[in-house]
Amino acid sequence: MRLNVDELWDIDLIWYAVDKLDRVIEFSSGGDGKIPDFILESAENVEFLEKYFWDAFKPFTEIKYYYDYGGGTRRKIDKYGEPQEIQHIKKKRYKQLSKIPLFIESVDLTSKGIYCFYACPRDPNGPLINSYRIVAEPKVPLFLSDLKDDNVKRILSNQRLNVDVSTQNIILV
């Protein structure tokens, strides 16, 4: 079944792709992020991959960086976030972050080697349109070739983006 983009307004759709080096990436649309046509083609594929990476796939690496974009009006929001190692996040900030589902989900998926990005339809420091910003980066990335499930490999090989996750911002056209 095809997803209807009009019905996805204000729904945080989780979707997966691979970059040009075949590294697995997770995207959270945040309800207003651009979603590629190859994702909209199959609700079944979206659900299948989400279930696979949450339930069947086990953690194997540490998180290299969590990118903290701030919180609240008193904190300066940096365009690229502040890359921090999880163990070095101040106790008070960690307590705040641990109440945010995006943080918990990103930590979990990144421990599975997946780069996590979140939608940023407009950047506070500039007009980045249809961009996704990095949230968390694994020490050891998960590559398409690392996957054992042929169905997952088939789906992801058709969900390829011509981007490099190391850029920290991915703009979808």
Side-chain angles (χ1 to χ4, degrees):
M1 182 175 91
R2 184 168 171 81
L3 292 166
N4 183 341
V5 73
D6 295 329
E7 293 174 5
L8 295 175
W9 181 255
D10 214 27
I11 294 175
D12 190 8
L13 183 71
I14 307 298
W15 57 277
Y16 295 85
V18 291
D19 76 349
K20 62 185 178 182
L21 297 177
D22 281 346
R23 293 175 286 198
V24 178
I25 317 165
E26 178 265 347
F27 295 89
S28 296
S29 73
D32 52 6
K34 182 170 174 60
I35 301 168
D37 285 338
F38 62 73
I39 297 299
L40 298 174
E41 288 174 6
S42 174
E44 294 81 11
N45 286 351
V46 170
E47 291 171 10
F48 177 77
L49 290 177
E50 185 172 14
K51 185 165 179 51
Y52 176 77
F53 286 117
W54 280 109
D55 299 340
F57 203 76
K58 304 296 180 219
F60 67 87
T61 187
E62 293 178 13
I63 297 165
K64 183 175 180 180
Y65 291 120
Y66 174 77
Y67 291 80
D68 193 350
Y69 290 95
T73 55
R74 295 177 188 222
R75 190 177 163 103
K76 178 184 177 247
I77 298 176
D78 183 40
K79 184 175 181 178
Y80 298 106
E82 301 168 9
Q84 301 179 53
E85 293 179 350
I86 294 290
Q87 63 271 25
H88 293 142
I89 294 176
K90 293 181 179 151
K91 189 175 182 178
K92 183 178 177 184
R93 182 65 180 148
Y94 189 86
K95 198 171 183 179
Q96 292 171 331
L97 289 170
S98 64
K99 294 177 185 173
I100 302 170
L102 175 65
F103 175 76
I104 296 163
E105 293 165 8
S106 298
V107 167
D108 183 54
L109 287 170
T110 305
S111 70
K112 298 173 182 181
I114 300 169
Y115 288 81
C116 293
F117 282 76
Y118 191 75
C120 180
R122 57 186 163 75
D123 193 288
N125 297 320
L128 288 179
I129 307 299
N130 297 326
S131 74
Y132 282 81
R133 289 195 279 183
I134 194 164
V135 176
E137 177 182 349
K139 279 191 177 181
V140 178
L142 175 66
F143 289 90
L144 186 61
S145 61
D146 296 331
L147 299 169
K148 305 292 184 233
D149 188 309
D150 289 337
N151 221 9
V152 173
K153 283 183 176 181
R154 179 186 53 76
I155 295 168
L156 282 176
S157 65
N158 292 316
Q159 296 182 184
R160 189 176 311 278
L161 295 170
N162 189 25
V163 298
D164 182 346
V165 294
S166 63
T167 62
Q168 299 179 347
N169 272 315
I170 293 177
I171 299 174
L172 300 178
V173 287

